[in-house]
Amino acid sequence: MTNEIHVIRKAQTVVAFDSTRNGHVYLNDADVAYDGRGFVHVGGQYDGPFASESSGRDRMIMPGFVNVHCHSGEEPISKGIFEDMGTAALWGNALYEYSNLLEIDDDAIEASLTVMVGDLMRCGVTTLLDIAGPHASWLPTFAKSGARAFVAPGFREAQWHVEDSRRLDFRWDKARGREAFARALEVVDIAAAHPSGRLGGVVAPSQIETCSPELLQDAVAAARKRGMPTTIHAAQTMTEHEELLRRHGLTAVQYLESLGLLGKDLILGHCIFVDSHSWTRQRTEIDLRLLADRQTTVAHCPVTFSRSGMALESVGRYRRAGVNVALGTDSYPFNMLEEMRQAMICARLSGKSVFDVATGDILEAATIAGARALGRSDLGRISVGAKADFLVVDLRHHAMQPVYDPLRSLLHCAAERAIEGVYVDGTCVVSGGRPTLIDYDGALAALQAAQDYACRKAPQNDPKGRSMRMLAPLSLPQGTSPAADWNLSR
């Protein structure tokens, strides 16, 4: 394999993993050598054999980001529609009343997935966990994209139904839920055995309140038998929080503990409304201690929730309690760097201090913590033996200049605009801001058609039969523009 080694010579900055510190450090004027198996050299001059080399001048080499919570399916077609909507009686959350209104046909699912993975890779994500309904193009699209992907086929026994925009009901069908569970296990087994070596599976009972305790326990048992993680949406809304109190008298975290499900192989989607959150009634400090003691991961996705007026309180507080906080993008815009920036902002606002969380803490959440959640010590870091998943940042990009601390320049200012290339297993999957292995532009065109179709069908899926303009009024009223009105010389 030595004839396949590529060397990046004298990179201006390398964000490398230091095992003695158990964290990332800056290296300057460092060589990085890698092949398809992983990194073979990180640090000083590399003098071994190689097949090719390139200059690292004015470049920062960083570990690829690990996104532990995102959704393809119909999520990408929701962009620009429901951002100003919510159900007042359900704490302003739009999830329950609006998420089932947009319908995507089979022909558009591949396009939706292609756009999502393309957007994620463009912003430096090399590993992602996608929670969606299984479909024929799921694994082939991920394999073609070059990304490292964990598929999590969702299943549940109850469907949400919002009655008259004021009450959430649950329509149970346990037999259907069990069928979906069986199908999900088939899919994750196929993914784990995929010949690419870049795909894996995660068992995903969709939401804690839409699954019976028996299904939750069986799902986690099936995952543990396979050595796979489990992910569950839990403590994600106040509606769910109050429903679990009504049913069990327990918070989501305490309920999962009572079922014996908390553990280092469990990823909780969002986990915002714990017992110590200011919106809840408990005013106790039990949940974070349980999460830390059981080494359970929280998948923090700040953008989606903050635009609905909700925030985890706070990343810094969770981390200081010992909780493994990783990052995800949830729904659009599928931009991990924007998610990282928002995580910092929300933490400092909810923690009421600039010191609540530092830029380096957020990088750790987006890399090492995500890898830890997936049980992978070979991801989210640049070190010998780790997978060659990394991104190249152009330090000369105008949004990066002037450069004092390159990570701060990237997260607080430049974001994905300064990313020059993204690599997975040493293969370039993004170059010059464009995915190299998928038809991203073609997928965008198909996605627009899919959104148009979904908007036309939305009234049929709404219990009240409301038109799209009633469901999601435009940001501005529709006006006219006669030429005379725009004559500024008068």
Side-chain angles (χ1 to χ4, degrees), residues 280-300:
T280 65
R281 298 182 273 166
Q282 282 62 50
R283 301 298 187 270
T284 55
E285 300 281 346
I286 299 170
D287 289 358
L288 293 190
R289 184 173 70 251
L290 281 173
L291 292 172
D293 289 347
R294 303 294 183 263
Q295 301 177 64
T296 299
T297 292
V298 169
H300 179 40

Side-chain angles (χ1 to χ4, degrees), residues 27 52 64 79 100 126 168 171 179 183 186 203 208 211 213 229 285 294 304 325 327 333 358 374 422 440 448-449 461:
L27 299 180
S52 58
K79 186 187 297 184
N100 294 323
T126 53
L168 176 65
R171 295 178 172 176
E179 291 172 3
R183 173 60 178 147
E186 293 175 2
V203 178
I208 189 172
C211 297
E285 300 281 346
R294 303 294 183 263
T304 300
V325 181
L327 291 183
L374 296 172
V422 180
Y440 181 80
Q448 181 63 65
N461 297 325

Side-chain angles (χ1 to χ4, degrees), residues 72-79 81 103-105 107-117 119 332 334 439-455:
S72 56
E74 75 281 354
E75 292 287 351
I77 68 172
S78 301
K79 186 187 297 184
I81 297 180
E103 184 179 326
I104 187 170
D105 61 23
D107 293 337
I109 285 178
E110 183 176 354
S112 177
L113 176 59
T114 299
V115 169
M116 185 195 78
V117 70
D119 284 345
Y332 59 90
F334 300 115
D439 181 12
Y440 181 80
D441 290 339
L444 280 177
L447 198 62
Q448 181 63 65
Q451 187 183 75
D452 295 343
Y453 168 82
C455 288

Side-chain angles (χ1 to χ4, degrees), residues 26 108 126 137 146 178 201 236 257 264 273 356 374 385 421 445 476 481:
Y26 282 142
T126 53
S137 58
R178 285 286 170 171
Q236 70 167 329
E257 170 70 2
K264 66 180 181 180
F273 296 102
D356 186 81
L374 296 172
L476 300 174
S481 55

Side-chain angles (χ1 to χ4, degrees), residues 1 20 70 85 88 97-98 106 165 194 200 204 226 263 265 285 299 331 336 348 374 401 450 457 473 478 482 489:
M1 294 289 286
T20 62
C70 61
M85 303 300 110
E97 185 169 6
Y98 295 90
D106 293 341
S165 298
H194 196 275
R226 289 164 168 77
D265 53 359
E285 300 281 346
S331 180
M336 193 69 160
R348 292 172 180 184
L374 296 172
Q401 295 287 323
K457 289 211 61 175
Q478 197 74 46
S489 64

Side-chain angles (χ1 to χ4, degrees), residues 100 155-161 169-174 176-177 206-207 209-212 215 247:
N100 294 323
F155 54 90
R156 58 184 179 174
E157 295 166 308
Q159 300 292 323
W160 296 318
H161 173 73
D169 293 332
F170 296 86
R171 295 178 172 176
W172 292 85
D173 187 337
K174 292 193 174 183
R176 184 177 179 181
S206 293
Q207 298 91 19
E209 79 278 18
T210 62
C211 297
S212 65
L215 182 59
R247 292 183 197 175

